[in-house]
Amino acid sequence: MAGMGLAWLLGVALQLQERTLLPLWAYLLCLAAGLVCAVAAWRWPRAWLLPLLAALALGGGASGWRASERLADALPPSLEGQDLQVVGMVAGLPQQSPVGLRFRFEIEEARLNGVVVQLPSRVSLGWYAGWDEGAALSEPQQSLRAGQRWRFTVRLRQPHGNVNPHGFDYELYLFEQGLRATGYVRANDRSAPQLLEPQAGYPVDRLRQRVRDAIDAAVTDPRAAGVLAALAVGDQSAIERDDWQLFRTTGVAHLMSISGLHVTMFAWVAGLVIVGLWRRSGRAVLWLPAQLAGRWGGLAAAAGYALFSGWGVPAQRTVWMLVTVTLLQLMGRRWPWSLVLLAAAVVVSALDPWALLQPGFWLSFMAVGLLMASEPVRASVTVPTERRRWHRVADAAKGGLRTQVVATLGLTPLTLVFFQQVSLVGFVANLVAIPVVTLVITPLALVGVLWSPLWLAGAWVEQSLAQGLALLAGLPGAVWLAPVAPLWAQAAGLCAAALMVLPLPWRVRLLAVPLLMPLLLPVRELPAEGRFELLAVDVGQGTGVLVRTRSHLMVYDTGPQYSRDTDAGQRVLLPLLRARGETRIDRLVLSHRDLDHVGGASAVLRGMPVGELLSSLEAGHPLHGQAAQSRRCEAGQSWQWDGVRFEVLHPRTADYERTLKPNGLSCVIKVTSAQATALLTGDIERQQEAELLATQGEALRSDLLLVPHHGSRTSSTAAFLDAVAPKLAVVQAGYRNRFGHPVAEVLERLHDRGVAVSASPGCGAWRWAEGSAWSCERESSRRYWRHRASIE
C-alpha cells in the first residue's frame, strides 16, 4: 500500500517537471495503461510490480490531464490589450491596497466591438485609484463586494510574471488558482463600470464580506482589524506589509493564515462539544454513538470553517487529511501513522497536483510526520486520584513544550531549504503565540461574529502580542539567513532533521551536526580571480544588474517602484541577494533619478549594508541621506576589484552644469577583465551616445551591451552600435509595457550586426559568467505553466 502511494506521488512529481505538455491523448493513454495494470494486479496479486506501475501511470496521467484542461482555458493572444466588454461575478473578497482594488472575476460573457469572444473563465483584475498619495477610491470602487454581478470594460494580458533565480513563481500561483489572465478595469466616461446585480452568487463569500466589513467598522486599529479578518474569514491581504515582516522575523507567520493548526483545533473543539451534547440525549445515542457523531460533526465543522475562511490550499489539505483519517476509522482500519499521512498526501495531490510544489504542503506533512515519529513510548504509571489533575496539567505543558521543540528542530532545515532563513527567536515566540492565537485571538475573532464587542477584546490581545513580538524581532541576530544550498546539502539537512527528533540514542543524534552544516553554511560558487559574473535581473520595466567579482559586489540600479507600497528592491532584489548569500553591497550605482531605476533603492539601502552610493542624483535627494557614503559618478573615475576594472565613462563633470534630462546624466560604466567586457549604459540617448563616441572611441568596444533606455527609439544609433560592436545584448523591459520597448528598429539594427539579443520578457533573469555560456532563467527553469513571450 505504501509503495502504491509513493508511486502515485512520484508520477505526479514527474509530470510537474515537464517543460511542455504532451498531447492530451498521451495522458489519456497513460490513464488507460494505469487501469489495465490495476486490473492485472488484482488478477495476479503476486505480481508486485503491477500495482506500482498502475499507481505511477495513474498519478502522472491524472495530473497531465488536469494540466491540459487548465492550459486550454487560455486568453487568445489577439485579444491582449484590447478593450473588452465583460459581464461576470466578483469571485471572492476584493483586496484593497494604496493604489486601488484587486479581485477575481468570473467571466460569464465577453464581447469585442459587439462580437462575442471566448475568454478564460476566471481572471485577476485590478481597479486602480491612481498613484497620487491622496488618491481615494471612487464611489463605484467602494461599493465593490463579493458575489456582485458587474459589467466592465477591461484590458487583459497573459499570466506573465518576473522570473528570477530562487524567486517566487507568480505564474505557477496563477495557474494553480485557475487564473488564466490578468488585467485591469477601464473606468472613464465611455466605459463606466456598471453594477448589474448586488447579490448574484457566491453566498459564502458574501457572508465573509459582511463579516470583514463589520470587523473594519468595529475595530479602529487597522492593523489589529487586519489580523482578526485574516483569522476569521481568511483575508490575508488585510494584514499590512510591516506586520507580515514582523511575523516572518519572529517565525509566527504560519499562525496568521488559516492553516492546518486552526482547522484541526476547530474540528477538535467542535467534536468535543458535539460528543458532550450528544450524550445528553438518550434517543440520539441509540441512533448514532456519541464518538461517531463527534467525528462526523468535527469533520463537518472543519470543512465549514475552511469554506468560510476562503477554502485556501492549506485549509483544503487539512480537510482532506481529516476526511482520510475519519474514513479509515469508520472502516475499522488501524493504519500506521505514516500510511495515514501518505493516503492523505495522495488525496491532496489528486485534487491539486500543484500542491506538491508549495512549501506549505511539505511543511504541514513534515510537521505531523515528525511529531508522530518522535512520540516516546509511555510507561503505565498509577497516580493517586487527587494528583491526577495536576499530572494532566503537567503532561499538557510537557506535551506543548515537546511539540514546539520537535517542530523547531525538525522544520528548521526544511524552512532553510524553502525560504533561506529561519527565526532564531521563533521557538520563544511560538511558545507564547501558538496558545494565544489559537486559543484566544482566533476564538474571539470567530465568536465576535455573534457579538461584536469580542472583536475589541481580540484586538487588544493582538496588539499586546504584537508588542511582545516586536521586542523579540529587535534582538540582534533574530533571523539566520543562508544562501541556497546545493541539492546534496539540502538532502543532508533533511536527514539531520529526522535524526534530531527521532527517539534514537544521543550518539546517533550527534550525527545531525555534520549533516546540517552544509545547509547552514553552504559553500558559494564565486568567480575566479580576474573574472566577473553579471546577472541582469528580471524586474519588469526597469533596470537592475548585479556584477559580482571574487570578493566584491556592485549593484547597478534597483528596478522600478511598482506601486505606492511595493517596489523591485523589496520584492525582487533583496530576496535574490539573500538567496545568493550576499551580505553586503560594496557599491550601489544609481544611473539616474528616474523611478524605473531607483524605485527599489530605498528598500535596498534599508535592507542590506551598502559601502558606497555612486549616482547622478541631485544634491538633496532623499537617497543620499540613507547611504553611509555617497558621491557623484563622473567620467574618469575607476576602481579595481579582484583583477577586474570598473570605469565610469559618463557623465562628465560639465554635464552637471548643463540643463539635461535625467536620462542624459545616466552613469555609464564599463566592466573589464582579461577575457571579457560589459557596458552598462542606463538611459543615455542619441546625444550622449554621440558624445561617448567623440570622447571614448575605441574604448567603447565591449562583448556585452546593456541596451540603452530599454531599447527605445531615442537610443542605440547605428554609429554607437558599430563602435561598441557587442556580441551579446540584453534588453531590460516589462512585458507589454506601455512604451513599446524594445522597438522594432532597434532590434533590427542589433540583428543586422549579428548580435545575440535577449530581452527580459522572454528570457527572465539573464546570467553571464566568464568561461561559460549565457543563460536565461525562463528557459533553464522552464515548465509548462510558464508563459513564453517573444520580442520579435
Side-chain angles (χ1 to χ4, degrees), residues 716-740:
S716 302
T717 61
F720 180 74
L721 295 180
D722 288 338
V724 178
K727 301 173 185 175
L728 307 170
V730 176
V731 181
Q732 288 188 292
Y735 175 67
R736 292 190 62 86
N737 62 86
R738 61 192 179 95
F739 308 102

Side-chain angles (χ1 to χ4, degrees), residues 287-606:
W287 179 69
L288 186 69
Q291 289 295 331
L292 193 59
R295 290 172 187 170
W296 281 112
L299 178 60
Y305 179 39
L307 191 64
F308 182 70
S309 63
W311 199 239
V313 174
Q316 290 181 42
R317 283 196 295 267
T318 306
V319 169
W320 296 127
M321 185 184 297
L322 292 174
V323 169
T324 304
V325 173
T326 302
L327 290 177
L328 287 173
Q329 290 176 339
L330 293 176
M331 294 164 59
R333 301 295 181 90
R334 299 185 62 85
W335 286 5
W337 62 265
S338 56
L339 203 56
V340 173
L341 275 182
L342 186 58
V346 169
V347 172
V348 170
S349 64
L351 297 168
D352 179 13
W354 307 280
L356 268 65
L357 300 172
Q358 304 302 327
F361 175 89
W362 299 102
L363 287 169
S364 59
F365 278 98
M366 181 71 76
V368 176
L370 289 174
L371 288 171
M372 296 287 190
S374 63
E375 183 70 30
V377 178
R378 299 184 183 274
S380 177
V381 178
T382 303
V383 180
T385 304
E386 65 273 8
R387 298 178 58 188
R388 287 179 184 174
R389 180 178 301 175
W390 298 109
H391 270 269
R392 290 195 194 100
V393 173
D395 287 345
K398 289 179 183 177
L401 183 62
R402 174 189 160 275
T403 297
Q404 190 54 43
V405 169
V406 170
T408 300
L409 294 178
L411 295 184
T412 290
L414 199 59
T415 303
L416 285 171
V417 167
F418 285 126
F419 306 113
Q420 294 81 55
Q421 69 174 49
V422 63
S423 173
L424 299 183
V425 299
F427 178 77
V428 176
N430 277 282
L431 279 179
V432 177
I434 287 177
V436 169
V437 173
T438 56
L439 300 180
V440 181
I441 299 179
T442 300
L444 289 173
L446 291 172
V447 183
V449 175
L450 304 177
W451 193 46
S452 60
L454 292 178
W455 285 331
L456 299 178
W460 180 83
V461 176
E462 192 281 330
Q463 291 165 345
S464 302
L465 176 64
Q467 291 174 2
L469 294 176
L471 293 176
L472 290 175
L475 295 175
V479 177
W480 177 275
L481 299 173
V484 174
L487 287 177
W488 67 266
Q490 295 178 16
L494 297 181
C495 291
L499 288 175
M500 284 189 290
V501 300
L502 290 176
L504 298 171
W506 278 105
R507 284 175 296 180
V508 178
R509 291 189 183 190
L510 288 176
L511 292 174
V513 176
L515 287 173
L516 191 58
M517 293 309 294
L519 181 62
L520 290 172
L521 300 168
V523 177
R524 298 173 58 198
E525 293 185 8
L526 297 170
E529 188 76 17
R531 294 191 172 189
F532 68 90
E533 176 196 14
L534 187 144
L535 180 68
V537 186
D538 187 2
V539 294
Q541 182 61 25
T543 297
V545 178
L546 312 183
V547 181
R548 155 56 73 179
T549 66
R550 181 69 182 176
S551 56
H552 293 84
L553 172 68
M554 181 186 80
V555 175
Y556 183 85
D557 284 338
T558 58
Q561 181 177 358
Y562 300 125
S563 66
R564 293 205 302 265
D565 65 338
T566 59
D567 56 68
Q570 169 240 333
R571 283 177 47 183
V572 179
L573 288 178
L574 285 175
L576 174 60
L577 290 169
R578 290 165 182 160
R580 288 167 54 91
E582 306 290 357
T583 58
R584 169 186 167 87
I585 299 171
D586 295 283
R587 184 160 286 127
L588 173 61
V589 179
L590 300 178
S591 62
H592 61 295
R593 73 182 321 277
D594 282 359
L595 210 56
D596 57 335
H597 293 253
V598 304
S602 182
V604 169
L605 287 165
R606 289 194 312 268

Side-chain angles (χ1 to χ4, degrees), residues 14-91:
L14 289 174
Q15 191 281 321
L16 293 175
Q17 300 305 308
E18 288 185 322
R19 293 168 64 86
T20 57
L21 285 180
L22 299 173
L24 178 59
W25 61 261
Y27 298 115
L28 296 177
L29 184 62
C30 196
L31 286 172
L35 291 174
V36 169
C37 288
V39 172
W42 176 77
R43 177 66 178 81
W44 295 288
R46 292 188 179 183
W48 59 270
L49 188 60
L50 286 175
L52 300 182
L53 292 176
L56 182 72
L58 290 172
S63 178
W65 186 11
R66 292 279 305 280
S68 298
E69 288 184 330
R70 188 155 295 184
L71 206 62
D73 187 26
L75 174 69
S78 60
L79 297 181
E80 281 192 287
Q82 301 281 354
D83 282 345
L84 303 168
Q85 293 75 43
V86 298
V87 174
M89 287 188 290
V90 179

Side-chain angles (χ1 to χ4, degrees), residues 678-739:
L679 189 63
L680 311 179
T681 58
D683 278 357
I684 59 171
E685 299 184 347
R686 292 190 186 93
Q687 181 181 349
Q688 290 74 47
E689 291 179 354
E691 291 170 355
L692 283 170
L693 285 170
T695 58
Q696 301 295 329
E698 287 293 321
L700 290 175
R701 186 171 295 272
S702 301
D703 300 304
L704 166 67
L705 172 66
L706 184 66
V707 176
H709 201 181
H710 318 289
S712 165
R713 60 174 44 87
T714 63
S715 309
S716 302
T717 61
F720 180 74
L721 295 180
D722 288 338
V724 178
K727 301 173 185 175
L728 307 170
V730 176
V731 181
Q732 288 188 292
Y735 175 67
R736 292 190 62 86
N737 62 86
R738 61 192 179 95
F739 308 102

Side-chain angles (χ1 to χ4, degrees), residues 138-297:
S138 64
E139 186 174 340
Q141 287 174 315
Q142 293 177 20
S143 66
L144 187 74
R145 294 291 185 272
Q148 295 174 338
R149 178 173 282 114
W150 284 77
R151 176 179 286 114
F152 292 125
T153 297
V154 301
R155 286 188 179 178
L156 300 178
R157 70 174 196 170
Q158 303 293 342
H160 185 97
N162 300 332
V163 178
N164 291 290
H166 323 301
F168 175 67
D169 194 339
Y170 180 61
E171 294 174 27
L172 172 61
Y173 164 78
L174 292 174
F175 190 83
E176 184 182 19
Q177 298 296 316
L179 301 172
R180 301 296 295 130
T182 63
Y184 61 93
V185 174
R186 298 266 290 167
N188 52 49
D189 294 337
R190 292 184 300 173
S191 55
Q194 183 180 359
L195 174 61
L196 301 178
E197 190 175 348
Q199 297 184 3
Y202 292 92
V204 175
D205 285 323
R206 294 206 308 270
L207 178 59
R208 295 173 64 219
Q209 180 82 65
R210 286 199 293 270
V211 171
R212 190 182 76 172
D213 292 344
I215 292 175
D216 291 338
V219 180
T220 55
D221 180 4
R223 301 179 70 169
V227 173
L228 292 176
L231 294 175
V233 298
D235 184 16
Q236 277 74 54
S237 66
I239 299 179
E240 297 188 5
R241 187 178 68 175
D242 291 342
D243 287 333
W244 273 124
Q245 185 58 47
L246 172 65
F247 299 148
R248 292 190 188 100
T249 301
T250 53
V252 302
H254 63 103
L255 297 174
M256 302 305 166
S257 57
I258 306 300
S259 64
L261 179 63
H262 299 86
V263 176
T264 304
M265 181 68 69
F266 194 84
W268 178 70
V269 172
L272 289 179
V273 172
I274 291 172
V275 168
L277 295 175
W278 205 266
R279 285 174 175 167
R280 293 178 178 271
S281 171
R283 183 177 299 178
V285 171
L286 291 175
W287 179 69
L288 186 69
Q291 289 295 331
L292 193 59
R295 290 172 187 170
W296 281 112

